[in-house]
Amino acid sequence: MKKFIDDPNSLLDTSLQGFAKAHADILDLNPEPRFVYRKQRKSGKVALISGGGSGHEPLHSGFVGFGMLDAACPGQVFTSPTPDQMMAAAEAVDGGAGVLFIVKNYAGDVMNFEMAGEMLALPNASVLVNDDISLPKSHSIGRRGVAGTTIVEKIVGAAAEAGADLASCKALGERVNQATASLGVALTSCTVPALGHPTFALAEDEMEYGVGIHGERGRETVKLAGASEIVAQLAEHIADELQIGAGQHALLHVNGFGATPLIELHSIYELAWQQFNRRGLNIQRSLVGNFTTSLDMAGCSLTLTLLDDEMLAYWDAPVNTAALRWGC
């Protein structure tokens, strides 16, 4: 393992300290219990809080700031944060209008956010993100929350900034989630620092189809194909899932898992745009880059969100975070 790491046990704290210093105009770090929180807040606003295991940066800490999250709770690498982190974060950023937790559908995250919500002496609600269509809806653990989480956090964050109440923010988040589908493919596994070697191995002529974001294997191991064939398969499954039709408006997000260069991600975007354009879809907005990563995994995912006018307006609304910034 070749990494810029002194000690895996201190990596998260050192990284968060550096992150907070690098973006000191936007956010602060509470070291114990760990959470990153927005520096400039306003009363009367629904507070948005998310979190999860580290290793997915910039998700979630990179989305703390004006127009998105009020706080993010990072756990250790691929490990859920604890309820005390969420409760402390909620109490720190509460603006008097309640707290909305945005939760990816993983057992540890769901359990700990539920516990925090039950113990919190503040009005609160949750939105569960489960946009990964690599698993059937009937799967015993349900579908995982992956890159679509970014889309939910941005749109709901803008609504909260505009003054939407807790029930409206929750309903909007659920609507965005239902209109979103993601599917990914990996060319390599990732290396968890504490483990010191890749989680799984792939031959040079293999790829992992339907991966999550925790370095786990996907739905199946298949033969490596060209980019056009890979994108065509991903787009077909997403189109079938969302039952897209001609004339619909959408946001297309190409997400890298950490080790795929932008020259490849933009090529994937072009190929995906062509696939959806042939189906009559109107791609109105785009997001390309490493936003929901899996440490140093090589691979990418496609995320498609079918947009209505309200969702489009909130996507376009100003945002000022470490990882997303426009209109400010």
Side-chain angles (χ1 to χ4, degrees):
M1 180 178 73
K2 288 184 178 180
K3 299 287 182 185
F4 294 110
I5 297 173
D6 289 328
D7 180 355
N9 294 319
S10 64
L11 173 61
L12 177 56
D13 287 332
T14 305
S15 178
L16 287 172
Q17 290 162 8
F19 175 73
K21 288 183 176 71
H23 302 286
D25 59 322
I26 298 174
L27 51 84
D28 278 320
L29 169 66
N30 190 83
E32 187 58 40
R34 293 187 193 94
F35 62 89
V36 173
Y37 61 102
R38 177 175 160 180
K39 211 162 202 174
Q40 297 179 349
R41 301 182 302 279
K42 61 183 180 183
S43 62
K45 173 190 169 302
V46 172
L48 263 62
I49 299 175
S50 193
S54 298
H56 307 306
E57 291 77 14
L59 193 81
H60 297 272
S61 297
F63 300 138
V64 171
F66 178 87
M68 283 191 81
L69 299 177
D70 292 277
C73 303
Q76 287 291 344
V77 173
F78 297 167
T79 302
S80 174
T82 56
D84 66 310
Q85 290 176 258
M86 301 145 191
M87 293 177 66
E91 290 164 356
V93 301
D94 171 45
V99 174
L100 182 67
F101 295 118
I102 298 178
V103 187
K104 301 188 305 301
N105 189 30
Y106 292 92
D109 288 359
V110 172
M111 178 181 68
N112 288 345
F113 272 101
E114 282 183 353
M115 290 176 61
E118 290 171 357
M119 293 187 290
L120 193 62
L122 295 168
N124 66 89
S126 295
V127 171
L128 187 68
V129 183
N130 56 357
D131 57 304
D132 179 15
I133 65 169
S134 66
L135 299 175
K137 289 182 178 179
S138 59
H139 195 278
S140 59
I141 62 171
R143 288 176 161 176
R144 301 169 294 198
V146 288
T149 311
T150 300
I151 314 303
V152 173
E153 290 178 355
K154 170 62 184 81
I155 292 175
V156 179
E161 203 70 56
D165 63 21
L166 183 59
S168 298
C169 287
K170 175 179 170 63
L172 176 61
E174 291 174 343
R175 196 164 89 242
V176 175
N177 177 63
Q178 291 168 2
T180 300
S182 300
L183 191 57
V185 61
L187 307 180
T188 71
S189 180
C190 64
T191 299
V192 177
L195 186 62
H197 58 78
T199 308
F200 62 85
L202 288 172
E204 287 297 314
D205 64 343
E206 292 180 333
M207 61 183 185
E208 198 71 10
Y209 192 83
V211 292
I213 56 173
H214 291 95
E216 71 272 49
R217 283 194 176 274
R219 186 165 69 185
E220 58 181 333
T221 302
V222 298
K223 288 297 181 181
L224 182 64
S228 295
E229 183 179 341
I230 293 170
V231 172
Q233 292 176 359
L234 296 176
E236 181 180 3
H237 287 298
I238 289 172
D240 289 345
E241 174 70 25
L242 293 178
Q243 298 182 338
I244 66 173
Q248 288 180 297
H249 297 165
L251 182 155
L252 175 58
H253 174 26
V254 176
N255 175 65
F257 290 143
T260 302
L262 280 171
I263 191 171
E264 294 179 36
L265 295 180
H266 282 110
S267 176
I268 293 293
Y269 179 86
E270 170 62 18
L271 296 170
W273 187 96
Q274 292 176 11
Q275 287 288 332
F276 291 121
N277 185 63
R278 290 190 194 106
R279 292 169 167 84
L281 198 63
N282 182 4
I283 303 296
Q284 290 198 315
R285 296 295 183 270
S286 62
L287 185 65
V288 181
N290 293 289
F291 290 99
T292 303
T293 60
S294 183
L295 292 170
D296 57 349
M297 178 182 280
C300 69
S301 59
L302 296 186
T303 296
L304 193 74
T305 300
L306 299 180
L307 297 170
D308 58 30
D309 290 343
E310 182 184 31
M311 290 156 57
L312 178 60
Y314 283 140
W315 178 261
D316 286 345
V319 60
N320 185 25
T321 70
L324 281 186
R325 187 174 302 185
W326 58 72
C328 291

